[in-house]
Amino acid sequence: MSATRTALGIEWTKVRHSPVGLVTTLLLCLGTVAVTGASMASVGAGGILAAKSEVFVGDGGWAGLLGLAGQVVAAGGLLGFGVMAGWLHGREFADGTVSALFARPVSLRAVARAKLILYLLWAAAVAVALTLGVLALGVGLALAGDEGFGAGGVARPALTLVGVTVLTAWLALPCAWVATRSRGYLAAVGAAVGLVVLAQLSVLLGAEGWFPFAAPGWWVSQAGAVGPAMVLQLLLVVPVAGAAAALTLRAWDRLSL
Amino acid sequence: MTTPALELAGVLKRYADLTALAGVDLRVQPGEVHALVGLNGAGKSTLMRVLLGMTRPSAGVARVRGTAVPAMRPEGWRGVGHLVESPLAYPELSVADNLRIAGLLAGLDRPAARAAAARVAEELALTPWWRRRARTLSLGNRQRLGLGGALLADPDVLVLDEPTNGLDPAGVVLVRRAVLARAAQGASVLVSSHHLDEVARIATRISLINGGRIIGSLDPGGTDIERRFFEQVYADVEAAR
């Protein structure tokens, strides 16, 4: 059994029993469904929420519902995923267990690698669960008699929502590095808030999707359209996330108490 | 010549304006229970952290079974058990899960980790709390849990920093038995403690550390060990003035 596989099993045991893992998962999934549902309900009712929601919902239908959910994830999800990435890495310092991870056949690097792998797998599962939740919401709304929600054309916006969620999770990886360097998860939460603010500012300043942390939100705001510029903007997420993961591994490799 | 199980050669450790270790030479021979005694802040924990690769020395070298710590491969740590600073006790996990995790980290496979966890829980009287979450344990039981994690994989090298911290007299006796049992099996033990009487009962050698330097030794079989400890420490403090 490889050291990383062993560490992966250990990390899974910890996450499985932790209220942080459960609460974050529920907040991301149910929170997105709830906010999306409330926003949908506000359409046509007047007010600030309605005005904003109507922009994202556009012509309505599945694309409108899933696009709205994508916007919710691109903003709020960064915070939720940042908390999880920060907690996974920062908890060893906060709980005082980090010293016990030194001088082991399962190296610190293997532990850090396992944390990253588990985080990415968990994020993918959240993306699927969250999308299924929004689809269920759509079915519920259609059952309520909204003729705008037919079954046609659901696959593409649903896959876009999965993609937006996964990319948002990748973009929260700097929080893992911040948690490691700051030796706790509080700074990582602050970093996640900072990333959300910076992403919003970049859009307001007209950077569109060129600021990687705003790229998923920009993509979904363009109704999932994939032109050459959009492909490049989304691809920029990969080196950002990759660099954050590499820096995190390096920080664990060189950890000194 | 026998290779020491643990060795520090000219180890210096500086933190900004503080010198925690000022050129420490120390050897723990195979099968030896080597106790390290000193006042708070003397450098005991820093010394152990250097030996376990938790912190890098500013100068000098630390070796484990003859290999310099920076050159240690992960596999080289197999058979090294330690309890330094906080115990391995994830608050949301049960005693059983925490011990199993300690076993897996120590390189045991799943069945062996499970068996070792049960054995160590029995040895350290943790069985009544087997299913209890670590967050509900008393300080003493958390310490026993951490010690259990250090003992799980039948280590031939043990590094224990204040293992009796927070323990009641029964717990202290359990730790003593556990350390002596490992030493009888040939394990090399480096242990720090404030309890001089306790140290005298288990150690084959006692080194005194003060101001980041090894300043002398004590005879574990000698009498009035506390008085001799303070004599040497105060003499060192006076000499440093």
Side-chain angles (χ1 to χ4, degrees):
Chain A
M1 188 163 43
S2 78
T4 302
R5 209 168 140 195
T6 300
L8 195 55
I10 291 170
E11 290 305 317
W12 171 236
T13 301
K14 290 190 278 189
V15 168
R16 198 158 42 94
H17 289 88
S18 162
V20 177
L22 180 66
V23 169
T24 312
T25 305
L26 289 176
L27 275 179
L28 278 166
C29 295
L30 299 181
T32 302
V33 172
V35 173
T36 304
S39 302
M40 285 300 293
S42 75
V43 171
I48 295 173
L49 180 61
K52 192 151 186 164
S53 301
E54 282 159 12
V55 171
F56 295 132
V57 169
D59 295 333
W62 284 109
L65 176 74
L66 291 158
L68 180 60
Q71 285 296 337
V72 173
V73 169
L78 198 51
L79 188 59
F81 285 119
V83 167
M84 188 64 172
W87 173 78
L88 266 174
H89 293 80
R91 68 156 309 174
E92 307 291 354
F93 303 92
D95 290 337
T97 46
V98 68
S99 61
L101 298 177
F102 280 83
R104 303 282 195 173
V106 178
S107 66
L108 285 171
R109 190 179 183 84
V111 170
R113 201 183 290 132
K115 286 178 184 293
L116 289 171
I117 291 170
L118 183 69
Y119 171 75
L120 294 175
L121 290 174
W122 168 80
V126 165
V128 172
L130 179 155
T131 303
L132 289 174
V134 176
L135 288 173
L137 172 68
V139 169
L141 290 172
L143 285 175
D146 188 334
E147 294 302 320
F149 292 95
V154 71
R156 185 173 159 173
L159 286 174
T160 302
L161 180 57
V162 170
V164 165
T165 310
V166 167
L167 289 176
T168 303
W170 290 7
L171 286 167
L173 279 171
C175 297
W177 178 74
V178 171
T180 306
R181 295 290 297 173
S182 67
R183 304 185 177 203
Y185 43 77
L186 285 179
V189 176
V193 173
L195 289 175
V196 173
V197 171
L198 284 175
Q200 298 294 319
L201 274 177
S202 73
V203 174
L204 286 174
L205 293 172
E208 299 183 341
W210 291 110
F211 183 56
F213 295 95
W218 181 253
W219 180 32
V220 82
S221 74
Q222 304 303 301
V226 186
M230 187 68 76
V231 169
L232 192 57
Q233 288 166 356
L234 293 175
L235 280 177
L236 282 176
V237 172
V238 177
V240 169
L247 282 171
T248 304
L249 283 176
R250 187 169 175 266
W252 277 82
D253 228 8
R254 298 180 172 201
L255 207 56
S256 183
L257 301 181
Chain B
M1 198 172 74
T2 314
T3 304
L6 299 166
E7 183 182 16
L8 292 170
V11 167
L12 185 79
K13 179 64 186 177
R14 286 200 189 96
Y15 294 102
D17 58 344
L18 174 77
T19 300
L21 295 176
V24 171
D25 295 302
L26 184 94
R27 288 178 167 203
V28 179
Q29 299 296 348
E32 180 180 64
V33 180
H34 193 137
L36 201 58
V37 295
L39 301 175
N40 286 337
K44 304 185 293 293
S45 298
T46 305
L47 185 155
M48 291 181 165
R49 282 202 292 260
V50 169
L51 273 171
L52 295 167
M54 295 177 188
T55 190
R56 282 178 281 278
S58 310
V61 63
R63 295 187 185 90
V64 174
R65 301 191 199 100
T67 303
V69 169
M72 291 279 283
R73 308 288 301 167
E75 271 303 305
W77 292 110
R78 195 180 282 273
V80 177
H82 61 85
L83 171 58
V84 175
E85 297 184 354
S86 304
L88 185 79
Y90 292 101
E92 73 274 20
L93 298 183
S94 66
V95 166
D97 281 337
N98 271 299
L99 286 174
R100 271 198 292 268
I101 282 178
L104 292 170
L105 286 171
L108 301 179
D109 60 23
R110 284 181 185 282
R114 254 195 303 274
R119 195 176 60 241
V120 162
E122 186 78 33
E123 180 183 3
L124 295 178
L126 281 167
T127 314
W129 293 275
W130 182 249
R131 291 283 161 212
R132 288 275 294 275
R133 291 186 180 190
R135 74 159 60 92
T136 67
L137 297 179
S138 66
L139 178 66
N141 281 332
R142 271 172 52 87
Q143 187 72 356
R144 287 193 217 187
L145 176 58
L147 183 68
L151 299 174
L152 262 173
D154 291 328
D156 60 295
V157 176
L158 256 179
V159 179
L160 305 173
D161 188 15
E162 310 280 0
T164 53
N165 260 2
L167 294 182
D168 59 15
V172 172
V173 171
L174 283 173
V175 171
R176 185 195 309 158
R177 282 187 191 151
V179 169
L180 289 175
R182 269 55 181 194
Q185 292 162 8
S188 312
V189 184
L190 178 64
V191 58
S192 74
S193 181
H194 289 304
H195 300 145
L196 295 173
D197 288 346
E198 189 53 38
V199 157
R201 288 170 194 259
I202 60 171
T204 46
R205 196 193 311 192
I206 304 174
S207 290
L208 264 70
I209 184 168
N210 192 54
R213 290 170 298 110
I214 301 293
I215 60 167
S217 61
L218 292 170
D219 174 12
T223 55
D224 210 356
I225 194 167
E226 192 173 89
R227 185 176 59 77
R228 288 184 290 122
F229 167 77
F230 280 112
E231 278 175 0
Q232 291 199 48
V233 170
Y234 287 139
D236 183 64
V237 171
E238 286 299 317
R241 281 182 180 168

